[in-house]
Amino acid sequence: MPYYRVTGEIPRKRHVRFRRPDGGLYAEELMGEEGFTSDSSLLYHAHPPTAIVKSEGLDDAAGAGAVPNHPLLPRHFRTQELPAGGDLVLGRQLLMANDDVRISFAAADAASELYRNSTGDEAIYLRNGAARFESVYGSIDASAGDYVVVPRGTIHRWLPSPGDRLHALVIEARGHIRPPRRYLSASGQFLEHAPYCERDLRGPGGPLLADGEDVPVIVRNRGGLTRLSYAFHPFDVVGWDGYLYPYAFNIGDFEPIVKRTHAPPPVHQTFEGPNFVICSFCPRPLDFDPEAVPIPYNHHNVDSDEMMYYVAGDYSARKGSGVGLGSITLHPSGFTHGPQPGAVDAVIRGLAEGRTTTDETAVMIDTFRPLLLGPASRRAEDPEYAWSWARAARA
Ligand SMILES: [Fe+2]
């Protein structure tokens, strides 16, 4: 995270005696990245965070069954048709994955168990619904349009608002998810040309304290899922400080960068991960040169697979393709993609009639290694999508 925060009670100096009201010592814990050489936070627990009493292996059905995109095709998945129910941790339905990132969909309506992902950071994008995210750092109220970035190793749980169903895109990195480096000063402050800044990020509220003994926590590591039981409830932190903590950022707070002629997706970049980027396409003025072609040109990013999640508004470039709200497309390396034939003319006609803005909202992930297809993508696939460009061109 880019800046320092402090919450609750902490001692005046690091690594000194800090006593509970009963005279005992609080248990200090460092959560730190890259082996003591990058961002970290110090948390002060009422009980030792090391005290475990049981460990059970769990089946990880959601993690199995990803296959290559073969024969090679552009794909369209209708998440609207995937089963609903379950929680935001064990209810994840794997859409795509490679060695750098796993991308899942969840339509969750139940509270999750406590959970820690020790394989990397997560970014959860909520398309709709509202939830309370509770963690050892405190809680964050999240709602539609929020990305919630959860650092690796954070013990947390998701509590949907009563009666709500969350539609969420779950991005699990094999490393860290951060704001793009080019938008930060040498000391980590957002620069003036960044499309968002510190004021747009919502960190956890005050300390979150809970009682309990023999409390189970689901832990994901490279070996799969384990349920570890802790002697004391992990939510026993009276204070913490540092640069490492979960936070929320709402896609509506992304300030679009526009050009006179069409700007490429890096202007929409919101986060970077290991060998992938996350971009936010937000409502904005259309490209405003009188001769501009105001939607994307055909393109082939030879190093990338591109996943796009259509979350709100009207995505002009995909008109006539069958893509709708809640759809996900995958345009893999090896395939040149672009607007559906006729889409450019339609937008130019719209400009002449005064429609000079776009209300589309979409979340895009570009990976730099090919994505395998998970079981949920095969279940939700629209088999006609691959031929939609040819169908329109021949009509
Ligand atoms: Fe693209």
Side-chain angles (χ1 to χ4, degrees):
M1 261 308 297
Y3 65 101
Y4 174 82
R5 288 177 73 101
V6 57
T7 294
E9 297 291 317
I10 59 171
R12 189 180 64 82
K13 288 184 71 68
R14 300 190 275 199
H15 322 316
V16 297
R17 295 165 205 175
F18 180 36
R19 295 200 178 275
R20 303 187 302 241
D22 67 3
L25 286 168
Y26 284 111
E28 186 181 47
E29 179 193 20
L30 178 90
M31 294 283 291
E33 296 178 347
E34 299 173 21
F36 297 94
T37 63
S38 187
D39 294 349
S40 65
S41 287
L42 283 168
L43 299 87
Y44 295 89
H45 293 267
H47 306 287
T50 47
I52 55 173
V53 296
K54 193 159 72 170
S55 175
E56 307 161 87
L58 299 179
D59 281 343
D60 184 17
V67 299
N69 182 2
H70 182 81
L72 179 70
L73 279 178
R75 311 270 179 172
H76 170 208
F77 314 117
R78 299 183 198 273
T79 63
Q80 313 90 306
E81 295 176 1
L82 287 170
D87 66 66
L88 198 38
V89 172
L90 295 182
R92 296 175 182 183
Q93 304 176 59
L94 187 67
L95 290 165
M96 304 165 210
N98 64 20
D99 287 343
D100 304 310
V101 63
R102 288 157 43 98
I103 303 166
S104 305
F105 173 77
D109 55 13
S112 78
E113 296 185 52
L114 291 169
Y115 170 59
R116 159 181 272 177
N117 185 341
S118 289
T119 64
D121 295 355
E122 295 188 354
I124 312 292
Y125 178 80
L126 291 186
R127 177 168 169 247
N128 48 34
R132 190 174 169 86
F133 167 88
E134 294 187 342
S135 77
V136 289
Y137 294 92
S139 62
I140 297 172
D141 290 323
S143 57
D146 277 345
Y147 293 96
V148 179
V149 178
V150 186
R152 175 187 243 161
T154 300
I155 296 178
H156 66 278
R157 65 184 168 199
W158 285 95
L159 308 173
S161 296
D164 249 359
R165 172 165 291 150
L166 311 172
H167 283 191
L169 188 72
V170 178
I171 304 160
E172 300 169 45
R174 296 289 200 191
H176 299 302
I177 296 173
R178 295 185 168 121
R181 186 70 234 172
R182 68 180 184 280
Y183 289 138
L184 303 176
S185 74
S187 54
Q189 182 178 9
F190 281 96
L191 297 169
E192 277 292 317
H193 69 291
Y196 63 99
C197 76
E198 289 83 356
R199 297 186 195 184
D200 299 313
L201 307 182
R202 289 143 39 218
L208 181 61
L209 301 171
D211 289 324
E213 293 189 353
D214 299 350
V215 178
V217 177
I218 295 172
V219 180
R220 174 178 290 287
N221 71 352
R222 291 292 182 109
L225 292 177
T226 298
R227 185 177 279 118
L228 274 185
S229 293
Y230 281 79
F232 307 99
H233 201 294
F235 293 173
D236 67 344
V237 172
V238 297
W240 61 267
D241 77 332
Y243 281 64
L244 184 65
Y245 48 87
Y247 62 94
F249 168 67
N250 193 279
I251 200 166
D253 286 324
F254 187 93
E255 301 301 332
I257 298 168
V258 294
K259 286 177 61 185
R260 203 167 59 180
T261 57
H262 200 70
V267 301
H268 307 292
Q269 191 185 349
T270 313
F271 301 108
E272 62 187 24
N275 285 326
F276 72 89
V277 297
I278 302 173
C279 300
S280 304
F281 289 73
C282 296
R284 60 191 184 280
L286 287 166
D287 317 324
F288 49 88
D289 186 278
E291 290 297 313
V293 174
I295 57 175
Y297 34 85
N298 300 308
H299 51 286
H300 187 179
N301 287 331
V302 297
D303 297 321
S304 301
D305 277 15
E306 174 197 294
M307 187 227 80
M308 184 84 89
Y309 183 33
Y310 304 84
V311 298
D314 182 15
Y315 208 84
S316 310
R318 293 274 87 81
K319 248 188 186 55
S321 65
V323 167
L325 293 182
S327 286
I328 285 179
T329 55
L330 171 64
H331 296 144
S333 174
F335 167 73
T336 296
H337 67 272
Q340 252 59 31
V344 174
D345 293 324
V347 174
I348 290 174
R349 277 198 304 276
L351 278 172
E353 293 162 8
R355 290 194 292 277
T356 57
T357 59
T358 169
D359 64 354
E360 70 197 24
T361 306
V363 172
M364 188 184 88
I365 303 171
D366 264 15
T367 65
F368 302 131
R369 290 198 274 189
L371 285 163
L372 305 179
L373 304 178
S377 63
R378 297 197 295 280
R379 179 185 271 200
E381 183 159 14
D382 161 17
E384 293 303 312
Y385 178 67
W387 326 121
S388 61
W389 289 269
R391 202 170 49 229
R394 287 174 171 169

